[in-house]
Amino acid sequence: MSSQNTSKTASVFTGKRVLLDSQSEVGPATIHVDGQGKVTRIEPVYSPSAAAFDAGDALLMPGLVDGHVHINQPGRTQWEGVVTASHAAAAGGVTTIIDMPLNCIPSTVTAEAYEMKRDSFREGMWVDVGTWGGVVPGNSADLKPMLAAGARGFKCFLCDSGVAEFPPVDEAQLRLAMAQLAEQNGLIMFHAEMDTGASVDAAQDPTLYSTFLDSRPPAMEVKAIDLVIKMCREFAPRVPCHIVHLSAADALPAIRAAKAEGLPLTVETCFHYLTLSSEAVPSRSTEYKCCPPIRQQANCDLLWEAVLDGTIDFVVSDHSPCTPDLKLHACCGGNIPATAVEGDFVSAWGGIASVGIGLPLLWTEGRRRGLRLQDVVRLVCERTAVHSGLKDRKGRIAVGMDADFVVWRPEEENKITADKLHFRNKLTPYQERECVGLVHQTVVRGTTVYDITKPDDDAQWENSFSKLPHGQWLDSPITPRY
């Protein structure tokens, strides 16, 4: 299913600096794309005279695949929606987003809810979009029908999710679900925090970030990840397991041991855990709140070590926005209830808005730590595509693959200002942040959907976006992850 007719004319893309995949070197290339948006031929030469799209000396590489986005549609489109989320993705070079099964209403926990989400997205996708299903108490019989419908895999919570319609599962309920998934080699993902008895100290000021941070210690993640590894071992190799948004570096030894054992376990972290630290969070600045929390700089440094040595498989946004009033934040039109305290970290909604701004964030911080452009492709293109069951279509530039490209300048200064934030609610800890790396064009299956060079009076473009959506719903068969 697509937003528009996918039949189009063949095209040719060329550039002086092209990076095809994480194993290639940057060099000239000319890429031929057929009318279905597939790469048909690649020549190692720069041919501007033969190309309809000339990237010149900008870097052309695979479009990003963000496997962890909360679009919140249907049901909570005041938080986000597919039009604004896919616009934000396109502006950041993200050509594929995979939606989480919450915080939409209904949660994506049945085939019927899956179809409702798919249908609600029909006319609003500027990039390609798929969705994960959810595992909640009592829905183990719904998992195989959701896989058959096109769900990319499943997510569960081991603690309160923050929304009543997506309750957590216990070990017995988890075992029932994994038994169903074992018959299909279905992936299960874990929000890996469990109760350890930690709680908010009522004597502390709730507008201080430290008050919230102390209530979510690393032990919550360590306890949950120990259970994930136990279940992964029990169902290996039939049920691949994945830890979403790892925050606590204390869990890395157990993860490394599980991987050394050969268990089918993967791990992601997020841009915010690699670029922000608890020491720098101002009081009342609830745009920094998320669960698990942003931790100390020393913890961040250990996460970076794990990213660079491959322990952490890839990096995603975990874009989880809400309205400013739920953040108890006065900016952006937030209407704080009279009974609430402005900037109360304990009571505010937890989630960071960041879809589409991850590339410059990762590159700016990573390059000073030795991150190469090839590592960027590995972390936010290739491995996220494999994780999403799309390695035969996304994440690399190769013959037979979708022609998904981002054209950007890694050396160009880029200040993240409000006009560059295209998601619905602009409250983010990154506003006014100085970065390097600016996206100029984004191409989805051979069609340019974002281009900062387009004039405002061009009838086919509006605010740098194509006027028509060109994204497709991703329900193709899942390619094996292991």
Side-chain angles (χ1 to χ4, degrees), residues 35-57:
Q36 299 303 311
K38 296 286 187 181
V39 176
T40 58
R41 189 165 88 252
I42 302 173
E43 301 167 306
V45 293
Y46 174 56
S47 302
S49 62
F53 185 111
D54 181 5
D57 59 2

Side-chain angles (χ1 to χ4, degrees), residues 458-475:
D458 190 317
Q460 302 300 313
W461 294 83
E462 185 174 357
N463 192 26
S464 300
F465 297 96
S466 61
K467 279 199 172 178
L468 297 178
H470 293 279
Q472 289 185 347
W473 180 258
L474 296 169
D475 56 6

Side-chain angles (χ1 to χ4, degrees), residues 177-209:
M178 294 180 74
Q180 292 292 312
L181 295 177
E183 300 176 16
Q184 305 287 326
N185 196 233
L187 172 75
I188 187 165
M189 308 186 298
F190 299 84
H191 179 120
E193 289 182 287
M194 292 179 72
D195 182 35
T196 60
S199 61
V200 175
D201 184 348
Q204 299 301 311
D205 183 352
T207 67
L208 297 178
Y209 182 72

Side-chain angles (χ1 to χ4, degrees), residues 96-235:
T96 301
I97 52 178
I98 312 297
D99 188 28
M100 281 289 152
L102 73 163
N103 305 301
C104 50
I105 300 174
S107 298
T108 315
V109 295
T110 65
E112 293 76 16
Y114 172 93
E115 292 165 1
M116 185 182 300
K117 175 183 284 188
R118 177 198 63 201
D119 293 347
S120 81
F121 284 11
R122 187 181 299 273
E123 299 301 330
M125 298 177 288
W126 263 255
V127 301
D128 288 353
V129 183
T131 190
W132 305 106
V135 172
V136 295
N139 85 324
S140 59
D142 294 292
L143 304 184
K144 287 192 281 187
M146 278 192 281
L147 274 178
R152 313 314 299 170
F154 299 92
K155 180 183 182 180
C156 70
F157 272 72
L158 301 178
C159 63
D160 179 55
S161 72
V163 291
E165 64 272 8
F166 202 95
V169 290
D170 60 25
E171 184 173 337
Q173 293 160 339
L174 185 56
R175 188 168 279 106
L176 287 173
M178 294 180 74
Q180 292 292 312
L181 295 177
E183 300 176 16
Q184 305 287 326
N185 196 233
L187 172 75
I188 187 165
M189 308 186 298
F190 299 84
H191 179 120
E193 289 182 287
M194 292 179 72
D195 182 35
T196 60
S199 61
V200 175
D201 184 348
Q204 299 301 311
D205 183 352
T207 67
L208 297 178
Y209 182 72
S210 58
T211 302
F212 163 68
L213 179 61
D214 290 345
S215 73
R216 311 286 291 215
M220 292 181 66
E221 290 186 75
V222 172
K223 179 179 179 179
I225 288 169
D226 285 345
L227 175 60
V228 172
I229 292 170
K230 171 187 171 182
M231 300 301 290
C232 186
R233 183 180 294 116
E234 180 176 334
F235 284 89

Side-chain angles (χ1 to χ4, degrees), residues 396-426:
R396 297 179 294 118
I397 301 174
V399 171
M401 302 286 279
D402 289 352
D404 293 347
F405 312 138
V406 54
V407 178
W408 65 299
R409 294 185 179 274
E411 63 286 337
E412 186 172 353
E413 293 185 359
N414 177 12
K415 187 175 185 178
I416 300 175
T417 49
D419 61 300
K420 295 177 182 176
L421 301 175
H422 298 283
F423 37 80
R424 185 177 301 280
N425 292 288
K426 314 302 182 187

Side-chain angles (χ1 to χ4, degrees), residues 2 4-13 33-39 128 393-394 401-405 443-449 469-472:
S2 68
Q4 296 293 323
N5 189 333
T6 58
S7 178
K8 50 185 177 288
T9 58
S11 190
V12 179
F13 296 78
V33 178
D34 67 15
Q36 299 303 311
K38 296 286 187 181
V39 176
D128 288 353
R393 293 185 57 182
K394 308 289 187 182
M401 302 286 279
D402 289 352
D404 293 347
F405 312 138
V443 177
V444 177
R445 284 173 290 96
T447 297
T448 305
V449 298
H470 293 279
Q472 289 185 347

